């Protein structure tokens, strides 16, 4: 396994610009061990990345994986923070301490402030997101186009905001 250490600034030794390498003969006493998982890079197929409140980033990988980064560490995406949805994902909407994972069947709500303690709940409204480009975030919720109309998922719950304004047939 790889062991990664961080050194205090007062341990740094000046190296002249002409020096091409340096090998320490002693181990600094103020080093701190960092676990391997902290520095895992994002998956190669990570997309739809958005920032959440309190610092973590959220993104999608593969067909059903939801990935979270360390808080304020967009370079580190531990596998321990991954969540999996039941249906292929389309995109992400973010509001407050929540993220909506839009899929081809049901939306999912991911909530929390610590990436390790995030909870994911399937929303009981079977509405697929018809286009990633239709996802729009607002401070109070997230919008997405569905087969039945424009859906809003937010603090007040789920609603089709175009209901009563146009029929499903007119919407399509």
């Amino acid at each position: 396994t790889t062991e990664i250490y961080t050194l205090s600034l007062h341990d740094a030794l000046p190296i002249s610009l002409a020096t091409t390498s340096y090998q320490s003969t002693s181990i600094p006493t103020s080093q701190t061990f960092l676990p391997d998982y902290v520095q895992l890079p994002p998956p190669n197929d990570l997309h739809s990345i958005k920032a959440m409140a309190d610092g973590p980033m959220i993104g999608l990988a593969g067909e059903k994986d939801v990935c979270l980064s360390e808080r304020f560490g967009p370079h580190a995406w531990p596998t321990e923070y991954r969540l999996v949805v039941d249906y292929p994902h389309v995109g992400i909407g973010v509001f407050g301490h929540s993220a909506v994972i839009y899929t081809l069947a049901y939306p999912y709500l991911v909530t929390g402030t610590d990436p390790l303690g995030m909870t994911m709940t399937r929303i009981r409204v079977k509405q697929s997101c018809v286009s990633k480009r239709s996802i729009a975030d607002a401070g109070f919720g997230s919008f997405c186009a569905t087969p039945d109309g424009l859906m809003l998922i937010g603090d007040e719950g789920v609603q089709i905001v175009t209901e009563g304004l146009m029929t499903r047939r007119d919407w399509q």
Side-chain angles (χ1 to χ4, degrees):
T1 66
T2 302
E3 292 183 351
I4 301 169
Y5 293 89
T6 180
L7 303 176
S8 299
L9 289 178
H10 67 274
D11 292 329
L13 299 175
I15 299 174
S16 69
L17 294 175
T19 303
T20 57
S21 66
Y22 170 78
Q23 183 171 356
S24 176
T25 57
S26 65
I27 298 174
T29 58
S30 62
Q31 65 188 2
T32 306
F33 175 71
L34 296 176
D36 284 345
Y37 73 86
V38 172
Q39 298 299 322
L40 285 178
N44 290 335
D45 60 346
L46 188 69
H47 61 91
S48 303
I49 303 167
K50 292 198 174 181
M52 293 185 69
D54 289 329
M57 303 291 281
I58 189 167
L60 304 174
E63 190 173 280
K64 299 178 182 180
D65 290 344
V66 178
C67 304
L68 292 149
S69 77
E70 288 285 350
R71 291 179 70 197
F72 305 105
H75 62 285
W77 297 75
T79 55
E80 291 85 357
Y81 297 173
R82 291 200 185 172
L83 304 168
V84 179
V85 294
D86 298 323
Y87 305 94
H89 44 60
V90 176
I92 300 176
V94 173
F95 65 97
H97 295 282
S98 301
V100 181
I101 310 303
Y102 294 103
T103 72
L104 294 178
Y106 292 90
Y108 291 77
L109 189 64
V110 177
T111 57
T113 56
D114 180 12
L116 187 58
M118 292 286 191
T119 59
M120 184 171 66
T121 308
R122 185 172 86 179
I123 297 172
R124 294 187 213 176
V125 176
K126 188 169 185 182
Q127 289 289 339
S128 63
C129 180
V130 297
S131 171
K132 177 181 177 177
R133 294 180 68 186
S134 73
I135 299 170
D137 300 335
F140 54 88
S142 177
F143 292 92
C144 175
T146 71
D148 293 333
L150 185 63
M151 179 173 61
L152 168 63
I153 299 176
D155 294 329
E156 301 297 319
V158 181
Q159 63 179 348
I160 303 296
V161 295
T162 53
E163 192 173 53
L165 299 175
M166 62 179 63
T167 66
R168 183 178 198 269
R169 183 176 175 194
D170 291 339
W171 173 256
Q172 292 184 350

